[in-house]
Amino acid sequence: MTYRFAFFDVDSTLVTIEGIDMLADGNPEILKLTDAAMNGEIPLDQVYARRLEMIRPSKDRVEQLGATYVQSLVDGAAETIAKLQEKVIVHLVTAGIEQAIVPLANALHVKNIHAVKLTFDTNGNYKDFDRRSFLTRTGGKELLVRDIRARSHGKAAFIGDGVSDLEAKPAVDLFIGFGGVVVRPRVKENADLYVTDLRDVLQHLL
């Protein structure tokens, strides 16, 4: 039975980078917060606003990140998404910044993007993020996936590397942990399947 939906995380899953860490220019405090959130040591809601307040990324910086995303694709990501899209509806589900994710989605020809929109002032300075987004809080990916599935039928899989992805497991038929960029023990232990080559998801979803 072919899957109808494949939900993909982006950072450290489709690309080899963590966008927020790139924006932080290696600030160790921010890297530590990201890692702790991805490993499930602190709730995402506690770090999301804090990191953005510390970084205050400008519109230009976010556009640069978009270009970096396109150049940082995981080996096999483009062909995996292309193959899946012949039969499966692909969604990108990320707490990353929408304006930076769009160029990547365009490069992969993915239309369904769920990310967090930032707002800027007229000079392109950071103002805020969409505080109503499910994706900025713990369990947000599960809520989003349930919402999409409630409006249609068919089997769904989620592919991701972090604990925020693992939280979506109850909302899908198959959760595939991805360890090709970073191996997170909690994800590896609790995933239905665990792969380190993205192409391996094809045999399970098609």
Side-chain angles (χ1 to χ4, degrees):
M1 166 78 180
T2 302
Y3 280 72
R4 172 120 195 261
F5 297 103
F7 297 96
F8 278 87
D9 173 46
V10 175
D11 299 65
S12 298
T13 299
L14 289 177
V15 295
T16 56
I17 59 171
E18 285 286 335
I20 195 87
D21 292 348
M22 298 295 289
L23 291 174
D25 283 328
N27 176 327
E29 197 183 336
I30 292 170
L31 303 189
K32 222 162 78 190
L33 285 172
T34 302
D35 215 39
M38 289 295 102
N39 288 322
E41 290 152 22
I42 34 179
L44 186 63
D45 346 30
Q46 283 183 28
V47 302
Y48 203 88
R50 215 162 112 204
R51 288 182 309 189
L52 280 169
E53 271 308 316
M54 287 163 76
I55 300 167
R56 303 194 68 78
S58 67
K59 195 174 178 193
D60 287 351
R61 196 77 185 76
V62 169
E63 280 169 13
Q64 284 167 12
L65 174 60
T68 308
Y69 269 139
V70 176
Q71 293 153 8
S72 307
L73 276 170
V74 160
D75 186 39
E79 67 178 90
T80 300
I81 296 288
K83 271 259 177 30
L84 282 174
Q85 290 206 110
E86 291 169 15
K87 293 182 178 169
V88 181
I89 300 163
V90 172
H91 288 257
L92 304 186
V93 181
T94 171
I97 296 165
E98 183 181 299
Q99 289 97 323
I101 299 291
V102 167
L104 176 74
N106 290 342
L108 293 169
H109 309 292
V110 175
K111 293 187 186 71
N112 306 300
I113 310 165
H114 312 276
V116 183
K117 203 178 185 103
L118 299 191
T119 46
F120 303 98
D121 66 17
T122 46
N123 298 319
N125 299 310
Y126 172 74
K127 255 170 72 176
D128 205 359
F129 64 93
D130 176 5
R131 290 176 181 265
R132 291 164 318 186
S133 171
F134 286 159
L135 295 166
T136 61
R137 45 188 193 266
T138 306
K141 290 186 178 183
E142 180 188 354
L143 291 173
L144 188 111
V145 170
R146 285 192 188 282
D147 188 44
I148 292 163
R149 294 195 72 192
R151 290 169 286 174
S152 49
H153 298 290
K155 287 171 77 177
F158 199 110
I159 301 95
D161 73 293
V163 170
S164 66
D165 305 313
L166 185 61
E167 287 170 353
K169 185 181 171 185
V172 292
D173 303 288
L174 180 68
F175 179 84
I176 302 177
F178 177 67
V181 180
V182 193
V183 175
R184 304 190 193 278
R186 199 161 136 199
V187 177
K188 190 173 184 178
E189 284 155 27
N190 292 286
D192 297 315
L193 282 171
Y194 198 76
V195 301
T196 51
D197 185 332
L198 217 44
R199 299 175 193 89
D200 289 347
V201 306
L202 295 170
Q203 60 187 336
H204 299 289
L205 301 190
L206 294 177

